Each structure stands twice: as structure tokens, then as C-alpha cells.
Amino acid sequence: DADWGTVKLTPEQQDILLGAEPAMFKPAAGAWGRRGWTHVRLADADSATLKSALSMAWRNTAPKSLATMHTR
């Protein structure tokens, strides 16, 4: 819906973001959430944190040849 987005993180990345911004992030329900799928409350997301979460999710799912070209 318009209030939430979802990113595919590793469980470790998810733990970091949940610890840092618990109002902004929550795990998806069930096994999806335990595997790192994470909901983002868009209204609470500042641009820097959202960009970081999106970048992590992109690197997690992009073909390795692209991901290594765009790492910082």
C-alpha cells in the first residue's frame, strides 16, 4: 500500500536496521521476515536511511557482476 514498502535484506542487515530505527522498519510476517524481508514505514523514513536500505536490498538481489560495479 502507499504507507509501506518492502526490502529484501539479510537477517543481519534487518537486525541492524530494526535496532537503529524500530519505528521505521519491521520484519515481514512469518518465515519471510525471518529470512530478512523487511517492511519500511515510508512516512517515517528519512531519505538517507531509506537510500541505505534500498542500496543494501539492491546489492542483495542484483546480479553479482552489477553489484560489484556499484559498491561503495
Side-chain angles (χ1 to χ4, degrees):
D1 65 41
D3 296 327
W4 292 91
T6 303
V7 291
K8 184 178 188 254
L9 304 172
T10 66
E12 294 79 16
Q13 291 167 334
Q14 182 189 64
D15 286 343
I16 291 167
L17 291 178
L18 290 172
E21 297 287 349
M24 190 182 309
F25 297 99
K26 73 174 186 177
W32 289 98
R34 289 189 299 276
R35 291 186 185 119
W37 287 88
T38 307
H39 296 307
V40 183
R41 186 184 313 270
L42 298 174
D44 292 337
D46 64 88
S47 62
T49 305
L50 184 57
K51 181 179 177 182
S52 177
L54 289 170
S55 294
M56 284 188 277
W58 183 83
R59 284 191 301 276
N60 292 340
T61 58
K64 295 301 176 200
S65 60
L66 286 177
T68 56
M69 291 173 46
H70 297 283
T71 58
R72 287 179 164 196

